[in-house]
């Protein structure tokens, strides 16, 4: 078994990669930066590729290199964790710069969909292919100031539903909302301008009252679910309800 994890160098992605590696599952990490700590701890079991997932051209060129297929070649069980994402741009819809929208959609939507297609094409002989999109409650609930984030996470949810409808042999997919996690993204949310994100006090309260999950605890629960026999029985799910 091998796994591909996007955004592995920080936050939840770092915890997910570490959890997989600690279970003896080699990881290919894709992110703008690398994790020296993970490399030192796990050595050759971790392969890292510096790649801006917000640059669709760069993603396409990397996929054309064949490196993804080389990493996964010969494996009967393969995993893809589409974790990388951004909450930016935030604020009212009339205040978003077009280039910021384009970068967010490239990172939150285009990259996961491109990687999913390439992952499936590269592993036609694998008996088990499991794909996890890291979604959000924002995919189901509209929040003021989060129009781009909500739309991008909803796109992942519906993509998972459509892939299930494709009924590709050996493929299981789920777009999973992991809950509220104590990461840099949450710090960004709490630092947002109140007039552009009126729900900021709610997230400040969650932090103050200790209701945020740690990345390590969340990663352990996510990987437990990813490896469960019933993974993919629901195209979309919330980790807190499993």
């Amino acid at each position: 078994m091998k796994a591909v994890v996007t955004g592995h160098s920080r936050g939840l992605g770092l915890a997910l990669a570490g959890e997989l590696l600690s279970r003896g599952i080699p990881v290919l990490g894709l992110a703008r930066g690398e994790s020296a700590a993970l490399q030192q701890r796990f050595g050759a079991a971790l392969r890292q590729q510096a790649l801006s997932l917000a640059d669709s051209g760069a993603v396409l060129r990397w996929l054309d290199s064949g490196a993804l297929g080389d990493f996964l070649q010969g494996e009967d069980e393969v995993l893809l964790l589409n974790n990388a994402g951004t909450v930016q741009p935030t604020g009212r819809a009339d205040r978003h710069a077009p280039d910021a929208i384009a970068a967010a959609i490239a990172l939150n939507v285009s990259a996961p969909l491109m990687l999913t297609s390439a992952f499936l094409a590269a592993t036609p002989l694998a008996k088990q292919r499991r794909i996890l999109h890291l979604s959000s409650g924002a995919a189901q609930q509209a929040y003021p100031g989060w129009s781009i984030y909500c739309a991008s996470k909803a796109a992942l949810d519906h993509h998972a539903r459509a892939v299930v409808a494709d009924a590709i042999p050996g493929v299981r997919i789920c777009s999973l909302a992991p809950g509220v996690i104590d990461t840099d993204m949450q710090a960004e949310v709490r630092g947002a301008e109140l007039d552009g994100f009126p729900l900021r006090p709610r997230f400040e309260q969650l932090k103050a009252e200790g209701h945020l999950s740690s990345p390590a605890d969340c990663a352990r629960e996510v990987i437990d679910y990813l490896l469960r026999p019933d993974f993919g029985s629901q195209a979309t799910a919330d980790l807190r309800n499993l």
Side-chain angles (χ1 to χ4, degrees):
M1 182 182 292
K2 286 184 176 180
V4 180
V5 181
T6 67
H8 75 288
S9 62
R10 54 187 284 189
L12 179 59
L14 179 66
L16 289 168
E19 183 67 24
L20 288 163
L21 289 161
S22 70
R23 299 187 191 205
I25 301 172
V27 167
L28 169 60
L30 307 176
R32 285 180 301 172
E34 298 185 352
S35 171
L38 272 186
Q39 197 75 69
Q40 183 176 18
R41 182 179 173 192
F42 294 104
L46 172 65
R47 185 180 303 181
Q48 303 190 74
Q49 174 64 51
L51 180 64
S52 174
L53 295 163
D55 183 343
S56 295
V59 175
L60 182 59
R61 289 189 293 275
W62 181 77
L63 291 173
D64 284 344
S65 75
L68 180 64
D70 291 344
F71 176 74
L72 298 171
Q73 186 175 15
E75 294 296 320
D76 282 339
E77 297 179 79
V78 290
L79 312 171
L80 172 62
L81 289 75
N82 285 312
N83 160 78
T86 181
V87 72
Q88 300 297 336
T90 60
R92 284 182 9 182
D94 59 347
R95 300 175 182 175
H96 297 154
D99 60 341
I101 296 172
I105 296 304
L107 176 58
N108 289 2
V109 182
S110 297
L113 270 56
M114 293 167 72
L115 287 166
T116 296
S117 181
F119 173 83
L120 294 176
T123 56
L125 301 180
K127 295 177 182 178
Q128 287 254 357
R129 294 179 283 176
R130 300 187 177 209
I131 301 157
L132 178 72
H133 293 330
L134 268 296
S135 187
S136 168
Q140 305 292 329
Q141 175 68 44
Y143 293 109
W146 271 8
S147 59
I148 304 304
Y149 186 67
C150 289
S152 64
K153 292 303 182 180
L156 293 185
D157 280 14
H158 213 47
H159 177 259
R161 297 184 188 104
V163 173
V164 169
D166 284 339
I168 304 169
V171 174
R172 298 185 181 193
I173 186 170
C174 179
S175 190
L176 180 70
V180 187
I181 311 161
D182 198 4
T183 62
D184 290 345
M185 183 178 288
Q186 275 300 308
E188 285 185 51
V189 170
R190 295 191 301 273
E193 294 292 335
L194 191 58
D195 67 336
F197 186 57
L199 293 179
R200 189 186 76 188
R202 172 186 170 186
F203 290 91
E204 291 173 331
Q205 184 177 10
L206 289 172
K207 173 67 172 178
E209 295 179 354
H211 294 313
L212 303 186
S213 300
S214 73
D217 287 346
C218 181
R220 183 174 60 254
E221 293 180 19
V222 168
I223 301 305
D224 282 346
Y225 177 58
L226 177 60
L227 299 178
R228 268 169 40 177
D230 63 339
F231 175 80
S233 60
Q234 304 175 66
T236 64
D238 189 311
L239 187 63
R240 293 164 291 188
N241 298 329
L242 294 174

